[in-house]
Amino acid sequence: MAEPSAAEQRWLQAARDFARRALPAREGPGGPEPPPLDAVLQRLRSAGGGDLPLGYSFISISDLQHQQHTPCCSQLTWSTNEFKEWAQQGQGGLPMQSALPRTYLILVGYLTDGRQEDKEKLVAGCLYVKDNTGIIPCELLHFELEWLESLLLFPSWSYIPQTDQSAAGYVEILVDPMPVNLPKEVPDSIPVTYPASAKPLLTSRFPCNKRSKLTVAGELARLGPLLCIRHKTFFFLFLKCLTSAVWVPVLVQKPNQLAWRYILKLGHGYTITGLSMSSLKKSGQRMFVTGVSSCLLPCCAEQVREQPLNSAWQGESTQSSSLEVAEQLSDSLELGVEEERLGSTKESKIISYVGTVTKILNVQAGLFLLDNKVCLCLAYQQLLNSARGLRPGACVELIDVHLLQKPLISFPFIVLGACLSSTVVLKSFSRLSTPYQPPASSGNLYFQLLFRYNLGMPLYLWLVSLLETFEERFSCFFGRHRLLRSSMHRNPGAAEKFLVPLLQAVVPDRDEARDIYNEILAKTHQCPLQKYLTLNPPCQAPSLSAVCHVAEQKSWEGFSPSQLLSPLEAQHMGTQELNRRLAWSYRTLSAGSFQPRLILLGVLRVSSRSSSLQLQDKSSTLPCVISHKDGSPFAHTALIGSLLQVENYQLVVERFLQTDFPSWEQLANLEHVREKKNSVYVHFYFEDVQVLHVAEGQIQKGLRSGNSSSLRKKDDGSLTSELETPEAKMLKLEDPKPDTGRDENCQKGQSSTRRTSCVSHLFLVTQKEGLMLRNYQLPREEDAEGQELQRSFQATVLWLGRPRLWSHSRDCGNLPELEETSCDGEEGMTQQEALLLFMGKSLRWFPFLHLDGLYRFVVPHCSDLEVFDKLCFPPVPAKFLSRSSCPLCLPVQDTWYLQHETWISCLTEHQLAASSVLRGMDQRISSIPEVLSNSFTGSLVSFSGEIVERTLCASPKNEKPSVTLNLQKQKGSLLASDHSVKLSISVAPGSPVVVDVYIAAAYLQHLWGLLPGAKILFQNLERKISRFHNVYCIYIASSCVSIISLPASHLPFPSSPAGEASSPSLVFLSSLQPHLQHLPQARILCHLSCVLTLSLQWVCSLCSSIFKEGRCTRHSPPCPSHTGVRQASARVLVEDGTGEALVLCRNQHVAAILGLSLLEWEALQNCVQSRGSVSVQHGEATGTGCVEEPEDLVACYLRSLCRSPLICRPILLDFNLDRKPSKILQPAPPQLRNFHCGEVEFVSQVGPRPSLLCLNVEEVGQEAFSYLNSERIRRTSSHCQAGATA
C-alpha cells in the first residue's frame, strides 16, 4: 500500500482527534477499547470507491448545534451535477424558496431513542443521533430496528436549525445510514398466532391469564399516532390476517418499543412477541399489550409457523388486568361535547391524500397548507415529534383523514383533519432552505383548549383565528409567553381569559364525553371530526386599525347629504346655512352593528399629544372616553398599560364635510362635496370592562388585583421579569415611536429604581380648567419673548399634609396625610392651595384629573422632601400681589407620576373631620333651573345635564376669533374657525328646562363624546343674557367638560332634536306662563281667528337679498349668485276658549295655515318668484313693519285668502314658546276685554298674549274635534280634582 499523502495524513490526524473527542469507546474484556475509527474509515472508503473523502471534515453534534445557524445539507457520495439536479427538483412547487446549500461535513454517531443506559426516562417515541459531545433529534424515512444503539455513518443528511437561535434544530436523514458494525442475526423460525385465531380471545367473555404470553403475526392494517397522557407515551397498531379482514389491536407502551413506529409501514407483515391481553375498566374493551420482553420482527413465511392456542389461554385465571394508560387518557378527555346548532349537519368524508407542504399556516395550532389549496390539521393528534420534517417542500401521505368542506365561513381552504384513527406518513423531506419552528412542547394553549372543550373543526379554526390575531396584536407589549400562558401554570394568561368565556358560551357543559376507545378501537368509527356544521363566527376581535377602517366604511356607506336634513327645512336654507348644517354629523355603532359581533381589545394608554385616553395594539390607536355607570368620573391611573376587553360600547364616527352646495336641489350631486374627513373614537363604561392583563408595578387600589411582574427585554433579546416602577411606567404612557435606546433606557431605569426611594404629596382637586394654548413663561427661561403659546391646562389643588418619603413607590397608600391633617394644629403648614401647570408630557394626566378627587404625585428617584416647594413660584411678582392672596404656581414635571387615591365623598367620618378639607370644596355645582333663574348672580357656572340637541351654527358676529383660536385651528381642528356648536342641555329627557351652551369650533378637537343623549358635566362656563332676556352659556378658556354617561340611544338623523316627544300633550292656552323662558313642546286644540301678517319672498342663497327673475337684486357690490331660496312667514291669532296667542309660522307651515295643497303652494311660489316678495297685513297688524303691495294681483289674492271665512277653522297646533319674538314684550297685568256671542256680550279678564312658534299644523274633522275636545276637558277636570284632593 502506498504511503498516504501529506493532505491525507492531516485529514487522518483530524479524524483521530475527532474520534477521541466525539466517539465513545466500547467496553471490552480487558477494559475500554480504542474508538472504532478504523471501522468508520472502512465504511468511508467503501462509500467513496476506496478513497477517503478528503474534501469533507468530521463534525461533532455539539459543533453542529452551536456553529451551524442556517439550514444546510451534506451529500457524501453525490457529484455536483447530481446535487444541482436534486435541488432544482425540490424548487419546482415553490419557486420563491431557495434550495438547501451544500456543506461538506461527515456525521457519525449512535442512533438512540433518548433513553439513558442506567434507567428509563420519559421518551416521546423520537429518535436521536448522539456522540460524546451531545445529542440531537433526527427524522428518518426508513428505519431498521438493528440500527438502534448502533454506530452509524450518515452519508446524506440535512441540518435544520430552529428559528429561535437559542435552541438547537434537528437532523433529517435523507439516505439510509451505513452501520459501522455488523447487524445481529435473526432467529430462523418463530411459532406465531394469526389474528383470525387471536380475535376470539378479545371477544370472549372468559377472563384471560395475566401471565400468558402470545406471539401474533399479521399485516399492518392501521397505525395510530403517538399519544402522551400524564407522562405516559404509547400508540396503537392493528394487525390484519393475511387471508381475511380480521384484525386485532395492539397497544405499544414500553419506552424501548416506541421507536417501532419508525419501522412500521402499512401493508407490510410483522410479528410481535410477548403479547398479553388487557381490558379497559370502564368499557370492557380488550386488546393485546406489549411487554418488556416483546420484540418486533418482520413476518416472512419461511421464518414463522402457526401455533395453536394452548391451555394457558382457556381461562385458567379469573384475574382481569386493566390498562392504566388508556384509563388516564380517558380521564383527561372526559369533556363536554360541542352542542349541535340549528342547521343542516354535514358528515365528513374519509379519504387518503398525498400532497406537498407549501406553507406553515400555524405550527402551534397544527395547521399546514398542502399544494396551496388544502389545509392539513394535525391538532387532533398530538404532535409528539414537534412537527419535525413538516417543512415547506416536504411530501406527506395522509391515510383515513376527514375531508371537511367550508367548516368556517371565513376560512379559505378545504380542511383535511387527522383524528386518532388517521395515519400521517412523511414520504420525502424538503429540499428547501426553510427554518424550523417547533410547536410548544408544554402549555400549548391551542391544544389545551381544543381538548378541554372537545371542539369540533369549525370552532377550533375560529379559536385559532382569534388566538393568531390576539398574539399578533399584543405580543409586542407583554411577550408571547405571558399572553399565551395557560391555567396549567396557575395564573392563566390574557389569551385564556379572553377565550374561555367565549368558548363556554358556544360549548355548554355536557355530561357526554369524548370516547377515545371508540375513536381508536371500535369498528364503527366515531370522532369529533365525523360530523360538522359550517360555522358563522359568533364574534370577532380584529385589530384596531381594522376596526377604524370598518367603522369609517360603515359611516360613509350609503351616505347622502340629503339624509342629514329634512327636505321641508332644506329647501328654505341659504347656501351658508345649508353647507354649515352638513359640515358636522356623526354615526354611532355598537358591537351588534358588525357581523359577526365585534369585541374591542386594546392596551389602555394616554397620549400627551392629544391628552386623551387610547386603546392601543400593534396596528393603531383608538381614542376612548370611559365613564362610570354611577356618574362618577373615570380616574383609574392604575389601569394604564393594562389590556382591556370591551363588549358593550358605542363606536362613534364624527363626519366632517366641506361642501359648496348652492341650494338643496343639488344635494344629490356629490360633485359639490370638496372634502370628507372623519374622526373615530369609542365610548364605554368602566363596569363593562374586563381586565385581561393588569399593568405591573402599580398600586391596584381600585382593582384589588395586587402586584405582579412584567416581562422586559434585555439588550441580548432575552426576557426578564422586573417589577415596574413609576419611572419605568413613563415609557408606557406615550404613543409608540421609533427609539433605538428605548430598551436600554428601560433596563437602566428598572435596575436603579429598586435601590432608590421616592417622594409623594397628597392633594385635593378643587378646580380644573380646560385644555388650550396659553402663554406660559416659566421662570429662569431664556428668550421667553420668542416662545410660542404652549398647549396646557391648569388645576387648583389643596395640598393635604406634608410630602412623604417612601422606600419604594408601591408602599404609597392608606392616606396617612389625612390623619396628620386632622390632628395637626398648624394647618397653615400642612394645607395650602397651589395652581398646578400641566405642559408637555404631563398633559397625559388631563383625562384622569377631576374635581373633588384625591390624588398623589409620586416623584421617583428622589429623597428631597422640598422638591415641590423648590419648583413653586408666584404667578405675578410679589410687589403687585401679595403671596397670601394667590396660590403658588407649580409646573408639573414630565417624570412625575399621578396616582388616584379616592374621592372626597368616599372618605370616612374620621377623615372628613378636618375642617380645612371641607373648606377646599369651594366650587359649587348648580342646577340648570338655578342657572336660568333671574336671581342667579354668578358669572361662571358649573352644572350637569343631558344633551338634547347638537347644532352647528355660525359664531356670533360681534365676537372676533382670538389668536389662540386661530393657532388652535392650525393644530388640526376639523371644523372652520368661524363655526361654533350649540348644545341644548336639559335636566332630563323631555324636561321643559333647557339651556343652550355655545362652544367655539377650535375647542372641539379636545372634546369627545358630545352626542345627543349623553350626560355632561360643565365646569366654569360663562353665563350670559341675550337681548331677549334668554340665558345661555359659552365655553371659555377656563371651562372644562366631563362625560358622565353614554347616550341611551342614537338618532337616525343626528341633526334632529333628540329630546322631542313623539306625542305632545294637550294643554290650554290659559295654562301657559309667558314669563317662563322654557316650555316643552305641547299641543293645543284651537280656533284660527285670523292671519295678521303674511310674507312670501325669494332671497339670494348667498347674500339673502331679494332674488327676482332669476338673479340677485344686490348691485353694490354685485352678487354672482344665480340661486334663490323661497321663504315664507305668517303671524296668526289663535284662541281655544281659555285664552289667545300669537303664533309665528314659517315656510311649509304657512301653506298648512292657509289650507293650500302642494300644487297650489308651488304655483303661488312660482308667481312670487317673478316679483321677488309679496307681503300683506290684516286687522290689528297695522304698524308692525310689514310693507303691503297695493296693486299686485298675487297680493290681492293673498289678502282675500286671509280674510276668507275658510281660513278661520279649528286646527291642531304643535308649538314651542317663541324665545326670540319680533317685539320684546314687557310683563303687563291682565286687562278687561269684551266678547260677543250673538247678541250677548261678555266681559272677561284676559292676560297678555304669549308668542308661540309653530312646529306642526293638522286639520281637524268634526268627529276628531269632538273627541279631542272631550278628552281635553276630561284630563283637565281629573287634574283639577286631584289638585283639590291634595
Side-chain angles (χ1 to χ4, degrees):
M1 178 179 289
E3 284 292 327
S5 63
E8 186 174 347
Q9 290 180 0
R10 288 193 300 270
W11 188 89
L12 289 172
Q13 182 59 43
R16 285 190 288 267
D17 294 341
F18 163 78
R20 283 193 298 268
R21 184 172 66 93
L23 296 182
R26 294 179 299 177
E27 288 291 333
E33 296 181 357
L37 178 61
D38 294 340
V40 173
L41 295 179
Q42 184 178 355
R43 280 295 185 182
L44 286 174
R45 291 183 186 276
S46 63
D51 297 329
L52 292 175
L54 302 183
Y56 287 76
S57 58
F58 289 94
I59 187 168
S60 66
I61 300 299
S62 176
D63 292 341
L64 182 63
Q65 292 174 323
H66 294 92
Q67 297 178 10
Q68 189 65 37
H69 302 298
T70 59
C72 65
C73 68
S74 177
Q75 310 286 354
L76 185 61
T77 60
W78 287 8
S79 65
T80 302
N81 292 334
E82 288 175 333
F83 174 77
K84 288 182 178 180
E85 182 180 356
W86 176 82
Q88 289 175 357
Q89 291 176 356
Q91 289 182 283
L94 297 169
M96 301 302 295
Q97 298 285 351
S98 60
L100 280 169
R102 187 177 186 180
T103 186
Y104 299 91
L105 299 172
I106 302 174
L107 182 64
V108 180
Y110 287 86
L111 199 61
T112 178
D113 58 4
R115 291 179 294 123
Q116 297 178 355
E117 295 180 0
D118 54 342
K119 61 178 181 178
E120 293 183 352
K121 69 171 185 177
L122 174 64
V123 293
C126 301
L127 295 178
Y128 303 85
V129 178
K130 72 172 183 178
D131 60 13
N132 271 353
T133 65
I135 185 171
I136 187 171
C138 69
E139 291 293 320
L140 301 91
L141 299 179
H142 174 248
F143 176 66
E144 298 292 342
L145 198 58
E146 56 267 20
W147 295 347
L148 202 61
E149 302 301 332
S150 298
L151 183 61
L152 303 175
L153 169 65
F154 301 94
S156 181
W157 53 273
S158 300
Y159 174 68
I160 310 300
Q162 289 193 26
T163 52
D164 184 6
Q165 297 290 340
S166 61
Y170 72 100
V171 173
E172 295 176 349
I173 309 302
L174 306 179
V175 179
D176 286 353
M178 303 170 65
V180 175
N181 302 316
L182 296 178
K184 301 175 183 179
E185 295 184 358
V186 180
D188 294 334
S189 178
I190 302 175
V192 299
T193 301
Y194 290 106
S197 302
K199 185 72 173 180
L201 297 176
L202 300 180
T203 58
S204 174
R205 295 184 180 181
F206 293 102
C208 63
N209 188 349
K210 186 177 181 181
R211 297 181 179 179
S212 302
K213 303 298 180 181
L214 186 67
T215 299
V216 179
E219 178 186 328
L220 184 64
R222 182 153 57 92
L223 181 61
L226 275 171
L227 297 175
C228 181
I229 305 296
R230 296 184 182 178
H231 307 290
K232 296 288 186 178
T233 307
F234 58 93
F235 69 92
F236 285 92
L237 61 88
F238 299 84
L239 294 178
K240 185 175 71 71
C241 190
L242 299 176
T243 58
S244 66
V246 179
W247 54 266
V248 292
V250 179
L251 175 65
V252 182
Q253 59 176 336
K254 299 303 179 181
N256 62 333
Q257 299 162 0
L258 297 180
W260 292 1
R261 246 192 132 263
Y262 286 89
I263 303 173
L264 299 169
K265 294 185 180 298
L266 296 178
H268 289 221
Y270 297 97
T271 299
I272 305 178
T273 66
L275 294 178
S276 60
M277 196 169 66
S278 182
S279 62
L280 302 174
K281 287 182 179 179
K282 294 185 179 179
S283 64
Q285 290 174 301
R286 295 184 177 187
M287 68 200 68
F288 292 109
V289 182
T290 61
V292 178
S293 60
S294 297
C295 295
L296 177 68
L297 303 171
C299 180
C300 302
E302 60 274 9
Q303 292 181 352
V304 298
R305 66 179 186 274
E306 186 174 4
Q307 179 185 19
L309 296 177
N310 55 25
S311 60
W313 294 91
Q314 303 303 319
E316 293 179 358
S317 174
T318 59
Q319 183 179 0
S320 175
S321 63
S322 62
L323 181 57
E324 180 184 2
V325 173
E327 292 296 338
Q328 292 174 345
L329 174 63
S330 173
D331 294 340
S332 65
L333 295 181
E334 286 183 355
L335 307 167
V337 178
E338 171 189 348
E339 184 179 16
E340 293 185 1
R341 295 167 173 263
L342 297 178
S344 58
T345 302
K346 305 176 185 178
E347 188 153 352
S348 61
K349 298 179 181 179
I350 297 180
I351 66 169
S352 297
Y353 183 86
V354 178
T356 301
V357 179
T358 52
K359 184 179 181 181
I360 308 297
L361 295 178
N362 188 329
V363 71
Q364 303 297 332
L367 298 181
F368 306 86
L369 185 63
L370 304 181
D371 303 327
N372 289 319
K373 60 182 178 181
V374 178
C375 172
L376 170 61
C377 178
L378 299 180
Y380 293 84
Q381 295 184 347
Q382 293 179 325
L383 293 173
L384 295 188
N385 71 331
S386 301
R388 287 189 289 269
L390 293 178
R391 298 186 298 115
C395 181
V396 293
E397 180 181 5
L398 311 175
I399 302 169
D400 295 338
V401 293
H402 293 263
L403 173 66
L404 297 90
Q405 295 184 352
K406 206 65 177 177
L408 184 68
I409 288 182
S410 57
F411 197 70
F413 305 112
I414 297 174
V415 180
L416 296 178
C419 67
L420 297 180
S421 296
S422 306
T423 304
V424 180
V425 181
L426 188 63
K427 301 293 289 183
S428 66
F429 292 114
S430 173
R431 306 177 185 182
L432 303 175
S433 180
T434 53
Y436 166 61
Q437 180 184 1
S441 57
S442 64
N444 189 315
L445 190 59
Y446 292 94
F447 293 167
Q448 287 184 10
L449 294 178
L450 169 66
F451 293 128
R452 186 190 308 174
Y453 294 99
N454 194 17
L455 302 178
M457 182 65 72
L459 279 175
Y460 180 65
L461 293 178
W462 175 58
L463 164 70
V464 171
S465 66
L466 289 178
L467 259 178
E468 285 177 341
T469 306
F470 191 89
E471 179 184 354
E472 179 185 1
R473 294 173 60 188
F474 302 113
S475 59
C476 58
F477 295 96
F478 309 108
R480 182 182 178 277
H481 173 73
R482 179 64 57 87
L483 284 181
L484 303 185
R485 184 176 56 194
S486 69
S487 54
M488 291 181 60
H489 302 87
R490 296 184 180 179
N491 296 324
E496 187 171 355
K497 290 181 181 179
F498 166 58
L499 291 170
V500 164
L502 301 179
L503 294 177
Q504 289 175 342
V506 297
V507 186
D509 294 333
R510 296 279 296 272
D511 296 333
E512 197 173 336
R514 177 181 177 183
D515 192 346
I516 64 156
Y517 309 122
N518 287 332
E519 186 171 341
I520 299 175
L521 302 173
K523 293 181 180 179
T524 304
H525 181 59
Q526 294 180 2
C527 75
L529 303 179
Q530 192 171 10
K531 294 181 179 181
Y532 68 100
L533 182 68
T534 299
L535 177 67
N536 191 3
C539 63
Q540 58 176 326
S543 64
L544 292 180
S545 62
V547 169
C548 295
H549 179 70
V550 173
E552 292 170 2
Q553 279 187 329
K554 282 185 171 292
S555 67
W556 296 109
E557 197 173 68
F559 173 76
S560 174
S562 59
Q563 298 173 350
L564 303 178
L565 301 172
S566 169
L568 295 177
E569 295 179 357
Q571 60 182 331
H572 305 291
M573 293 180 181
T575 298
Q576 292 184 356
E577 183 182 4
L578 178 68
N579 291 289
R580 184 169 57 246
R581 293 285 292 272
L582 298 175
W584 189 23
S585 61
Y586 73 94
R587 183 179 178 184
T588 58
L589 304 167
S590 63
S593 303
F594 303 88
Q595 293 299 326
R597 181 172 56 92
L598 194 148
I599 298 176
L600 285 180
L601 297 172
V603 180
L604 184 65
R605 299 297 174 96
V606 57
S607 170
S608 60
R609 298 183 183 92
S610 61
S611 302
S612 65
L613 295 172
Q614 296 176 342
L615 292 179
Q616 183 181 1
D617 65 3
K618 183 180 179 180
S619 65
S620 183
T621 58
L622 177 64
C624 60
V625 179
I626 308 178
S627 306
H628 281 273
K629 290 184 177 180
D630 61 0
S632 61
F634 176 77
H636 292 284
T637 55
L639 271 183
I640 298 176
S642 299
L643 179 56
L644 308 183
Q645 173 185 345
V646 189
E647 297 191 41
N648 297 321
Y649 56 85
Q650 286 187 0
L651 199 61
V652 184
V653 184
E654 302 274 10
R655 300 177 296 203
F656 302 91
L657 290 177
Q658 287 189 9
T659 59
D660 56 2
F661 289 102
S663 71
W664 68 278
E665 295 176 341
Q666 287 79 30
L667 287 178
N669 185 4
L670 297 182
E671 294 181 356
H672 295 282
V673 179
R674 300 305 179 195
E675 188 177 16
K676 292 196 305 184
K677 294 182 179 180
N678 52 258
S679 176
V680 184
Y681 61 94
V682 65
H683 196 175
F684 53 86
Y685 288 114
F686 173 72
E687 289 78 5
D688 294 328
V689 170
Q690 181 181 357
V691 182
L692 299 179
H693 183 86
V694 181
E696 284 77 15
Q698 299 300 309
I699 300 177
Q700 310 295 335
K701 285 189 168 296
L703 304 178
R704 298 289 189 265
S705 54
N707 294 328
S708 55
S709 58
S710 174
L711 287 178
R712 280 285 179 262
K713 281 197 173 182
K714 294 182 179 179
D715 295 338
D716 58 359
S718 61
L719 294 176
T720 181
S721 178
E722 290 286 339
L723 199 63
E724 192 171 293
T725 60
E727 183 188 70
K729 180 62 84 176
M730 295 301 108
L731 298 174
K732 278 191 172 184
L733 303 179
E734 296 304 315
D735 297 333
K737 52 186 176 182
D739 187 0
T740 56
R742 186 185 182 100
D743 291 342
E744 180 182 356
N745 295 336
C746 181
Q747 181 66 21
K748 288 181 180 179
Q750 291 179 15
S751 61
S752 59
T753 304
R754 285 180 174 269
R755 300 186 299 270
T756 57
S757 58
C758 65
V759 175
S760 75
H761 205 173
L762 186 71
F763 62 89
L764 171 70
V765 179
T766 59
Q767 183 176 339
K768 174 189 173 183
E769 298 187 2
L771 194 65
M772 63 169 293
L773 293 175
R774 289 181 170 88
N775 58 341
Y776 283 142
Q777 295 181 3
L778 301 181
R780 299 179 300 276
E781 287 188 356
E782 299 180 359
D783 194 19
E785 297 180 358
Q787 292 183 352
E788 295 183 356
L789 301 182
Q790 301 186 57
R791 195 163 58 93
S792 59
F793 77 97
Q794 59 191 30
T796 304
V797 302
L798 184 69
W799 293 118
L800 301 177
R802 299 181 178 89
R804 288 184 172 267
L805 180 65
W806 306 87
S807 59
H808 198 281
S809 60
R810 60 171 173 261
D811 299 331
C812 304
N814 300 326
L815 304 179
E817 293 87 348
L818 294 185
E819 304 295 334
E820 170 191 318
T821 303
S822 59
C823 300
D824 195 344
E826 301 181 23
E827 295 185 357
M829 295 178 60
T830 58
Q831 298 180 27
Q832 59 181 350
E833 278 193 334
L835 183 65
L836 302 182
L837 308 180
F838 294 83
M839 296 169 288
K841 292 183 178 181
S842 64
L843 292 177
R844 60 182 175 269
W845 305 122
F846 179 77
F848 292 104
L849 207 65
H850 299 285
L851 185 69
D852 295 340
L854 270 73
Y855 298 84
R856 184 188 303 277
F857 270 133
V858 180
V859 184
H861 305 298
C862 179
S863 57
D864 185 6
L865 294 178
E866 298 181 356
V867 61
F868 299 100
D869 294 334
K870 290 179 179 179
L871 293 174
C872 289
F873 62 90
V876 294
K879 62 181 180 180
F880 298 110
L881 189 64
S882 65
R883 180 174 180 177
S884 60
S885 61
C886 189
L888 294 177
C889 295
L890 174 64
V892 178
Q893 304 302 299
D894 294 343
T895 57
W896 293 1
Y897 183 76
L898 181 70
Q899 183 174 296
H900 176 252
E901 296 292 341
T902 184
W903 303 103
I904 196 170
S905 59
C906 300
L907 296 178
T908 63
E909 293 293 333
H910 178 68
Q911 292 171 329
L912 286 174
S915 60
S916 57
V917 174
L918 299 178
R919 285 200 301 267
M921 301 172 56
D922 56 353
Q923 185 174 7
R924 180 171 176 268
I925 305 298
S926 306
S927 65
I928 293 181
E930 290 175 341
V931 174
L932 296 175
S933 173
N934 292 331
S935 59
F936 193 90
T937 57
S939 59
L940 294 180
V941 295
S942 299
F943 59 88
S944 64
E946 183 174 311
I947 300 179
V948 177
E949 183 180 1
R950 185 182 83 171
T951 308
L952 197 63
C953 54
S955 297
K957 296 181 179 179
N958 57 350
E959 294 185 8
K960 296 181 179 179
S962 64
V963 177
T964 300
L965 298 186
N966 289 334
L967 288 175
Q968 283 187 311
K969 169 62 182 174
Q970 297 174 4
K971 297 290 183 180
S973 177
L974 297 175
L975 290 173
S977 58
D978 58 346
H979 288 171
S980 63
V981 63
K982 183 184 77 172
L983 301 177
S984 298
I985 311 298
S986 69
V987 179
S991 172
V993 183
V994 179
V995 62
D996 291 336
V997 176
Y998 292 87
I999 305 177
Y1003 294 119
L1004 294 174
Q1005 59 178 317
H1006 306 301
L1007 303 180
W1008 306 93
L1010 300 181
L1011 305 178
K1015 192 173 182 181
I1016 312 295
L1017 172 63
F1018 294 97
Q1019 300 176 47
N1020 296 331
L1021 298 180
E1022 184 178 3
R1023 180 179 182 269
K1024 289 194 171 186
I1025 301 177
S1026 71
R1027 61 188 180 95
F1028 298 102
H1029 303 289
N1030 294 322
V1031 175
Y1032 65 98
C1033 298
I1034 61 172
Y1035 189 97
I1036 58 177
S1038 61
S1039 304
C1040 191
V1041 171
S1042 300
I1043 308 298
I1044 297 178
S1045 64
L1046 303 174
S1049 61
H1050 63 276
L1051 299 173
F1053 299 102
S1055 59
S1056 61
E1060 292 183 357
S1062 57
S1063 179
S1065 58
L1066 279 169
V1067 298
F1068 286 107
L1069 288 175
S1070 59
S1071 64
L1072 302 181
Q1073 301 179 15
H1075 64 278
L1076 290 179
Q1077 294 187 20
H1078 302 279
L1079 187 72
Q1081 179 179 338
R1083 175 176 292 182
I1084 54 173
L1085 181 63
C1086 59
H1087 186 269
L1088 180 57
S1089 300
C1090 64
V1091 179
L1092 300 179
T1093 62
L1094 176 64
S1095 174
L1096 304 179
Q1097 60 183 358
W1098 283 74
V1099 297
C1100 176
S1101 63
L1102 286 179
C1103 64
S1104 300
S1105 301
I1106 296 299
F1107 191 86
K1108 186 176 181 180
E1109 295 179 349
R1111 55 189 177 87
C1112 180
T1113 57
R1114 193 185 73 178
H1115 298 292
S1116 179
C1119 180
S1121 174
H1122 297 281
T1123 304
V1125 178
R1126 55 189 182 185
Q1127 295 179 351
S1129 64
R1131 190 172 294 276
V1132 300
L1133 182 66
V1134 299
E1135 58 90 14
D1136 67 346
T1138 67
E1140 294 179 324
L1142 296 175
V1143 182
L1144 175 62
C1145 305
R1146 290 194 177 97
N1147 300 322
Q1148 70 271 15
H1149 301 313
V1150 176
I1153 286 292
L1154 298 179
L1156 298 178
S1157 65
L1158 181 61
L1159 293 177
E1160 293 172 337
W1161 180 248
E1162 291 293 335
L1164 181 61
Q1165 291 286 355
N1166 292 334
C1167 295
V1168 174
Q1169 185 178 15
S1170 60
R1171 294 163 172 78
S1173 65
V1174 176
S1175 303
V1176 297
Q1177 59 186 17
H1178 176 65
E1180 57 184 272
T1182 304
T1184 57
C1186 181
V1187 181
E1188 184 175 354
E1189 302 291 337
E1191 301 297 334
D1192 187 76
L1193 294 179
V1194 177
C1196 294
Y1197 166 73
L1198 292 176
R1199 190 181 304 109
S1200 61
L1201 182 62
C1202 293
R1203 296 173 180 176
S1204 171
L1206 297 177
I1207 295 294
C1208 303
R1209 66 193 190 279
I1211 59 173
L1212 195 61
L1213 179 69
D1214 294 352
F1215 67 91
N1216 263 340
L1217 191 66
D1218 188 4
R1219 298 176 60 187
K1220 295 182 179 180
S1222 59
K1223 183 178 180 181
I1224 303 176
L1225 301 176
Q1226 300 296 329
Q1231 298 178 352
L1232 295 177
R1233 288 187 56 187
N1234 296 334
F1235 296 90
H1236 296 273
C1237 181
E1239 298 180 354
V1240 181
E1241 182 177 357
F1242 298 92
V1243 179
S1244 177
Q1245 198 175 38
V1246 179
R1249 298 169 178 171
S1251 296
L1252 308 180
L1253 185 63
C1254 176
L1255 299 178
N1256 189 38
V1257 178
E1258 295 181 18
E1259 300 292 336
V1260 182
Q1262 186 62 36
E1263 296 181 359
F1265 178 79
S1266 302
Y1267 170 75
L1268 291 173
N1269 195 37
S1270 61
E1271 184 71 15
R1272 182 181 62 169
I1273 295 175
R1274 183 186 64 81
R1275 291 183 181 180
T1276 305
S1277 60
S1278 62
H1279 178 71
C1280 294
Q1281 291 177 2
T1285 305

